[in-house]
């Protein structure tokens, strides 16, 4: 348990390691940028000016109340007519016994593979933590000053950049469009 309390990356202590093969590897490092913001200070507003703004808003609301609301058809909730055809019936796929068994065995094999991958990740993490605690103990015996600086946060880790594989290779001589798009929004008038 003491090994889990030791600083893993130099920035925060590791309190627990989740044991699930569905999450990504514990060896990979994920970070988020710290956001430091302060609330904006309110400017002093002239009370007469504030009154004028409120009166303008009241006039706008009165004008909007006089105009009847526009009803815009919502096409997402109106299914196409072809879906109302009663002849359309989904065909239930009948799988053979061999196919059902093959899929079950494939799922079990995948589960075994992910479990072994998870176990390898956990042993790698435990080994790294054990080596780190041993190194820190040796460093403490050697020099107390170096030990204290080793326990401090390592600021050279951030900003962290990681480049992974892409789904497709880059297109040669491609000029990406800068903010252009085709507006296909329908406009309804009454």
């Amino acid at each position: 348990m003491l090994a889990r309390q030791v600083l893993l990356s130099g920035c925060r202590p590791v309190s627990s390691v989740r044991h699930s093969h569905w999450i990504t590897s514990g060896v990979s490092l994920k970070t988020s940028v710290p956001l430091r913001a302060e609330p904006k200070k309110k400017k002093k507003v002239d009370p007469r000016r504030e009154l004028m703004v409120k009166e303008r808003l009241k006039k706008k609301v009165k004008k909007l109340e006089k105009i009847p609301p526009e009803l815009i058809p919502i096409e997402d909730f109106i299914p196409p007519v072809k879906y109302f055809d009663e002849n359309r019936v989904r065909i239930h796929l009948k799988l053979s016994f061999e196919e059902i068994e093959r899929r079950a065995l494939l799922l079990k094999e995948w589960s075994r593979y992910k479990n072994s991958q998870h176990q390898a990740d956990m042993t790698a993490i435990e080994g790294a933590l054990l080596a780190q605690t041993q190194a820190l103990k040796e460093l403490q015996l050697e020099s107390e000053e170096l030990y204290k600086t080793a326990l401090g946060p390592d600021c050279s880790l951030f900003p962290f950049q990681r480049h992974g594989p892409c789904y497709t290779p880059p297109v040669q001589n491609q000029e990406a469009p800068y903010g252009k798009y085709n507006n296909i929004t329908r406009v309804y008038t009454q």
Side-chain angles (χ1 to χ4, degrees):
M1 190 65 190
L2 181 63
R4 292 178 193 248
Q5 298 291 330
V6 176
L7 298 172
L8 178 63
S9 65
C11 289
R12 62 185 176 115
V14 175
S15 59
S16 67
V17 179
R18 293 189 63 188
H19 298 283
S20 171
H21 63 277
W22 294 108
I23 60 172
T24 57
S25 172
V27 179
S28 64
L29 178 67
K30 292 185 177 63
T31 61
S32 63
V33 180
L35 301 174
R36 295 183 183 98
E38 295 180 1
K40 292 184 179 179
K41 294 180 181 177
K42 291 186 176 180
K43 296 179 182 177
K44 293 185 179 179
V45 182
D46 186 23
R48 284 181 283 156
R49 195 170 193 186
E50 199 173 308
L51 251 170
M52 289 172 61
V53 170
K54 284 184 180 179
E55 286 177 10
R56 275 190 227 131
L57 281 174
K58 285 179 184 177
K59 286 180 183 177
K60 284 183 182 178
V61 168
K62 284 182 182 177
K63 281 184 182 177
L64 289 173
E65 286 176 349
K66 290 178 184 176
I67 302 170
E70 276 187 37
L71 298 175
I72 300 173
I74 302 173
E75 295 176 349
D76 295 343
F77 298 131
I78 304 170
V81 179
K82 67 178 184 180
Y83 296 145
F84 290 118
D85 187 13
E86 293 181 11
N87 295 333
R88 287 175 44 99
V89 178
R90 182 176 288 179
I91 299 168
H92 293 287
L93 186 64
K94 296 283 183 178
L95 295 175
S96 65
F97 178 75
E98 291 83 16
E99 179 64 20
I100 293 171
E101 285 295 313
R102 188 187 73 78
R103 289 184 182 187
L105 290 173
L106 189 63
L107 184 63
K108 287 180 183 180
E109 187 178 338
W110 175 253
S111 296
R112 280 189 220 107
Y113 168 73
K114 291 303 283 184
N115 187 22
S116 65
Q117 186 182 24
H118 172 70
Q119 293 300 327
D121 285 347
M122 290 300 111
T123 54
I125 290 171
E126 291 292 329
L129 287 174
L130 187 62
Q132 187 180 29
T133 53
Q134 289 174 350
L136 284 173
K137 285 178 185 176
E138 290 293 324
L139 188 64
Q140 188 177 16
L141 293 174
E142 191 68 31
S143 168
E144 189 69 30
E145 183 181 325
L146 288 175
Y147 173 74
K148 287 181 181 176
T149 54
L151 287 181
D154 186 9
C155 297
S156 65
L157 288 176
F158 303 104
F160 179 74
Q161 293 181 351
R162 188 178 88 183
H163 300 286
C166 299
Y167 288 114
T168 58
V171 178
Q172 296 296 327
N173 301 326
Q174 178 193 13
E175 292 186 23
Y178 186 72
K180 295 180 181 177
Y181 66 96
N182 294 331
N183 189 1
I184 58 168
T185 307
R186 293 186 181 177
V187 179
Y188 297 98
T189 57
Q190 239 180 351

